[in-house]
Amino acid sequence: IEFLDHIVGKTNMSCLTPHDRNEKGSFLAANLYAKSVFGEDALVNVSVEKKEDNDGKLAGYIRIRSKTQGIALSLGDRITSVQRGLQPNKNQ
């Protein structure tokens, strides 16, 4: 759930899937929603699994669906940079 909170917080998306914070498990699935300043909608499906080994790695996928390609590409780039721990350059 910390991974989901991190993605939601850094990308300004809303989580549509309720989660019980007391629930402990190795799988997580969630639907996120984003709306651009131009009124474009996007739905992001997140599905991750915590590996059983002790290094704490996550495996899974993030699928972005939208009617326009622009918001999907932009969200994909933003999520990739958040996962890598990079901060976007705000001077551009």
Side-chain angles (χ1 to χ4, degrees), residues 43-79:
L43 182 66
V44 179
N45 305 106
V46 178
S47 178
V48 293
E49 173 188 9
K50 187 173 183 180
K51 293 295 186 180
E52 293 298 325
D53 45 6
N54 291 329
D55 58 1
K57 289 186 179 180
L58 299 175
Y61 69 89
I62 296 177
R63 177 173 289 152
I64 303 169
R65 298 180 183 269
S66 68
K67 289 186 178 180
T68 60
Q69 187 177 11
I71 190 171
L73 292 173
S74 177
L75 266 176
D77 290 343
R78 178 76 176 148
I79 291 170

Side-chain angles (χ1 to χ4, degrees), residues 15-59:
C15 184
L16 302 176
T17 309
H19 289 96
D20 184 4
R21 296 207 172 272
N22 298 326
E23 184 86 17
K24 298 295 179 194
S26 60
F27 292 96
L28 173 69
N31 292 314
L32 309 177
Y33 173 77
K35 188 167 193 149
S36 75
V37 294
F38 303 109
E40 300 168 311
D41 296 319
L43 182 66
V44 179
N45 305 106
V46 178
S47 178
V48 293
E49 173 188 9
K50 187 173 183 180
K51 293 295 186 180
E52 293 298 325
D53 45 6
N54 291 329
D55 58 1
K57 289 186 179 180
L58 299 175

